[in-house]
Amino acid sequence: MDAAFTAEQDEIRRALRELLAGRGGPDGAGSAAAAPEGYDVALWRRLSRDLGLPGLALPEEYGGGGCGPAELAVALEETGRALLPSPLLATAVLAAPLVLALGTGEQRSALLPPLAAGELTAALAVPGGSLSTALGLTGDLTGGAWAGGGRAGGVQARPAGGDGGWRLYGEAAQVLDGHSAGLLLIAAHAGGFPRSRTLLFLVRTDGPQPPAGLVRTRQASFDATRPLARIQLRDTEAELLGADDAADVLDTLAATGRTAAVALAAEAAGAAASALERTVDHVGECERSGRAAGSFQSVKLRLADLYVRVRSARSAAYYAAREPESGGLALAQALEALRVTTAEAVQLPGGTGSTWEDEARSYFNRAASDELLLGPAHRLRDHAAQRAGLFGPEGRGGAAGRGPAGRVAV
């Protein structure tokens, strides 16, 4: 069942819903996404100044709100309902927690206050388009193969000399908000093949001149509200995140992945709920005007099934806010609910040719984009099941519990 919300959480929801109500739905989201930054800069400033959204989950000593995963999930649910294009996910959910967990005192003091105030945006760049693997959601992130852990590929890091700096070489694709972020957190392979390890590095891009050797290219995205970029590094100067190269980066990425999964599940559940509400309204209009296709009773049964899916996904997301270990399963359930709901939204009102289809397709594109970036749902479930040991002591990679061709038998 759904968690009981506190007065503060209800206020966050109310304020966000009121602020986003006049944006015009998916059409307004598409217009904002077409801007050079990929989002409405004026709206982002209001969200930062009036609601403190970017720093909601950061400690008060850095200018944040000192809230927890549940409050962040409430905020993401509302932005998901509006399909809001903003740097909130990349900055507050992915990048800021890593700076907080791994950064030196000097780095935290320099970076977290502007991140909390919305004055600085950030993006997490991982090679190979493997964000879900890098966060430990769909695969084993140890070994660092996803970051270029072999003899070549990915992003490579080498010490720059006696000043303690580093140089990066390589590229990362499908970097969320990577074309406009003022701070890049880049996962790179260091130490050469014999002493391979994955570290995180900082590259500031908000100065008057871009760093030498850095090339950022906005990529075509299936969902215009999820701007992606290719980051190319050609002997680019970078700063190590943390005091030394002995930090446990992989565990920190996995911990960030668990809390990010909660926020992403809430966002997907919010998008699914909004798509369902709009579908119900449109189906009702079709029925009243005599334009409904097929049996209206069968349509109502399909809508009822979607309602159960969406409500279950929402409940799972807020349960995971209290139990982050279940974040991956909650995300899988929410992504599946969003995919099924948006697919039905395109078909239920009467099939192709409907003017409703343009609006419904915006939600459908979000569903497809999220599965490509964060899933798919069956891999999220498979990895969660292996981590939980559901297939016996050899379930983490052995043959136990697997059928033909190494597939998990479920």
Side-chain angles (χ1 to χ4, degrees):
M1 60 182 177
D2 289 340
F5 294 104
T6 66
E8 183 179 16
Q9 292 164 356
D10 285 336
E11 179 60 22
I12 292 172
R13 185 185 308 282
R14 182 200 63 78
L16 260 175
R17 191 166 296 191
E18 287 183 358
L19 186 58
L20 300 179
R23 295 186 58 260
D27 291 338
S31 299
E37 297 83 0
Y39 59 92
D40 186 333
V41 175
L43 178 60
W44 173 247
R45 288 172 180 163
R46 286 193 64 190
L47 292 171
S48 303
R49 182 187 66 246
D50 298 347
L51 303 181
L53 209 58
L56 196 62
L58 288 175
E60 294 180 5
E61 63 182 295
Y62 298 113
C67 297
E71 287 75 19
L72 195 58
V74 168
L76 267 293
E77 183 185 358
E78 291 305 312
T79 60
R81 288 178 61 89
L83 293 186
L84 177 70
S86 81
L88 180 64
L89 175 57
T91 299
V93 178
L94 298 177
L98 292 170
V99 176
L100 179 63
L102 294 174
T104 64
E106 182 179 354
Q107 288 171 336
R108 290 196 296 267
S109 297
L111 297 175
L112 291 179
L115 287 173
E119 299 166 357
L120 177 66
T121 60
L124 174 63
V126 297
S130 52
L131 180 62
S132 59
T133 300
L135 295 175
L137 295 175
T138 57
D140 183 12
L141 75 167
T142 61
W146 52 271
R151 295 181 183 272
V155 178
Q156 306 292 323
R158 62 176 178 83
D163 60 355
W166 292 76
R167 296 280 179 173
L168 303 181
Y169 189 90
E171 71 174 44
Q174 296 183 332
V175 179
L176 186 62
D177 290 320
H179 71 291
S180 61
L183 173 69
L184 297 177
L185 273 69
I186 301 173
H189 175 71
F193 187 70
R195 297 180 59 249
S196 62
R197 63 193 185 279
T198 301
L199 300 173
L200 287 175
F201 297 88
L202 303 171
V203 175
R204 294 290 296 260
T205 63
D206 57 342
Q209 296 293 331
L214 174 66
V215 178
R216 301 193 288 176
T217 307
R218 185 168 179 176
Q219 296 177 291
S221 175
F222 194 69
D223 175 14
T225 67
R226 287 275 201 238
L228 303 174
R230 180 181 301 277
I231 307 296
Q232 295 175 301
L233 304 144
R234 300 165 182 168
D235 205 30
T236 302
E237 185 176 356
E239 176 186 352
L240 178 67
L241 178 62
D244 53 53
D245 58 6
D248 197 341
V249 171
L250 298 182
D251 277 356
T252 305
L253 281 169
T256 300
R258 288 190 290 272
T259 55
V262 175
L264 291 162
E267 185 193 55
S274 182
L276 178 58
E277 290 169 8
R278 292 167 184 269
T279 303
V280 170
D281 290 343
H282 190 73
V283 167
E285 291 178 6
C286 290
E287 173 64 18
R288 288 189 294 273
S289 63
R291 292 183 287 116
S295 167
F296 188 59
Q297 183 63 32
S298 67
V299 169
K300 288 194 292 185
L301 291 175
R302 289 164 68 183
L303 290 173
D305 178 67
L306 295 179
Y307 177 82
V308 172
R309 282 182 179 270
V310 172
R311 296 295 293 183
S312 298
R314 184 173 185 262
S315 295
Y318 284 106
Y319 173 81
R322 302 191 303 273
E323 300 289 341
E325 286 293 333
S326 64
L329 289 175
L331 178 57
Q333 188 169 351
L335 291 179
E336 189 170 74
L338 179 58
R339 170 169 46 83
V340 173
T341 301
T342 55
E344 289 277 42
V346 173
Q347 295 299 320
L348 274 174
T352 59
S354 170
T355 55
W356 153 254
E357 193 170 334
D358 290 338
E359 184 173 344
R361 194 164 297 279
S362 297
Y363 286 95
F364 181 82
N365 289 349
R366 167 62 65 89
S369 174
D370 277 3
E371 287 235 38
L372 289 171
L373 187 66
L374 307 164
H378 72 271
R379 288 189 60 197
L380 289 162
R381 288 196 176 100
D382 176 70
H383 185 61
Q386 292 188 49
R387 289 184 65 248
L390 294 184
F391 306 110
E394 299 181 9
R396 292 180 177 273
R402 293 182 177 269
R407 295 187 180 275
V408 178
V410 292

